[in-house]
Amino acid sequence: MEGKISTTSPNLLRKYRREMGFTQTEVARILGINSTSRISKWENGTCMPSVLSALKLAILYRVMVDAFYIDLVRTLRDELRDRENRLM
């Protein structure tokens, strides 16, 4: 099941899919998903793939999972490091 988020989450899923030359239909079929609407929602950032789906996409697109959400990863890293530093 994919996680719902209240705002869009910018990502690079579409970029990596296009670089690999796949259509949304092809990705959905490879992942065993019946509809392209889920792929579209992931790419538009209206919802995020489950951990398992993100891992499958990373394997398919030949990148690390964090590459899809690099801006989010940077923001989270900075927040966590700030919190960690405040504990010391």
Side-chain angles (χ1 to χ4, degrees), residues 11-78:
N11 64 71
L12 299 174
L13 290 166
R14 181 176 289 117
K15 171 189 178 278
Y16 286 111
R17 175 179 55 79
R18 288 180 174 168
E19 282 181 4
M20 293 300 297
F22 292 124
T23 65
Q24 288 183 346
T25 301
E26 291 168 332
V27 171
R29 286 183 182 155
I30 292 167
L31 297 182
I33 298 171
N34 296 330
S35 169
T36 60
S37 66
R38 190 177 307 174
I39 306 299
S40 178
K41 288 178 183 179
W42 293 344
E43 290 183 359
N44 290 328
T46 56
C47 65
M48 295 178 77
S50 68
V51 172
L52 183 58
S53 293
L55 289 170
K56 288 178 180 180
L57 288 167
I59 292 166
L60 181 61
Y61 299 159
R62 293 164 177 78
V63 297
M64 300 298 291
V65 173
D66 61 350
F68 299 142
Y69 298 95
I70 194 65
D71 291 335
L72 176 59
V73 169
R74 288 177 180 148
T75 300
L76 292 172
R77 181 193 61 219
D78 293 345

